[in-house]
Structures are given as structure tokens and as C-alpha cells.
Amino acid sequence: MKHYTYILKSTLNGRHYYGSTCNLENRLKYHNSGKVKSTKAYKPWVIHYLEEYETKTEAIKREFYFKSIDGYNYLKTKGII
């Protein structure tokens, strides 16, 4: 089973959200349904960036990296966000 680290972008205001999942399609639907407290005010969301991993552990580590200052700087330097 593949696991994903993703960055969503709000089409409402351009805000980004970082996460990881094994079912990207369902996770995006869940965010856009308004059932996620931290994202419901900024929907609709689109997938802005995606990385694929073999294990859940790898995907979660990458998500935490993106949420760190070093990860933020990496994403900015690469022009991803």
C-alpha cells in the first residue's frame, strides 16, 4: 500500500495544509466536507503538492519535516509554497 505526504491549498485564500494519508482521494473529500476542524473554514481545498512513500512511517516523518521551520524553508526555496 502506498502512503502519501501532501500539501493542500485553499482556493478561498491560498492557505496551505500539510498532512499524510494512505487514501488521498478520500482524505481530500474529508477535508472538503467540513469535518476537519482545522480546515473547514478555508474550504474548498485542492492538492497542491504530493510525495509518495512505501511506508506510513516515511510519510509521517516527511509531514513533520514540512511542518518544521527547516521544512518550511525547503518548500519556499524549491518554490513549492
Side-chain angles (χ1 to χ4, degrees), residues 6-10 16 45-50 79-81:
Y6 61 88
I7 300 175
L8 301 181
K9 187 172 186 177
S10 167
H16 292 99
W45 296 90
V46 294
I47 298 169
H48 178 70
Y49 181 74
L50 176 67
I80 296 169
I81 60 169

Side-chain angles (χ1 to χ4, degrees), residues 23-78:
N23 190 327
L24 192 59
E25 185 179 322
N26 283 349
R27 190 64 180 151
L28 180 61
K29 285 179 187 177
Y30 194 65
H31 281 289
N32 282 324
S33 73
K35 295 178 182 176
V36 180
K37 186 177 180 180
S38 60
T39 61
K40 69 181 178 180
Y42 308 104
K43 62 185 180 151
W45 296 90
V46 294
I47 298 169
H48 178 70
Y49 181 74
L50 176 67
E51 292 181 355
E52 186 177 297
Y53 294 94
E54 292 295 322
T55 68
K56 181 178 180 178
T57 301
E58 291 172 305
I60 291 171
K61 282 182 182 180
R62 190 65 165 173
E63 175 190 350
F64 288 150
Y65 173 70
F66 285 168
K67 291 177 177 179
S68 73
I69 191 63
D70 289 337
Y72 174 81
N73 289 334
Y74 167 81
L75 294 168
K76 289 292 272 188
T77 301
K78 295 293 184 183

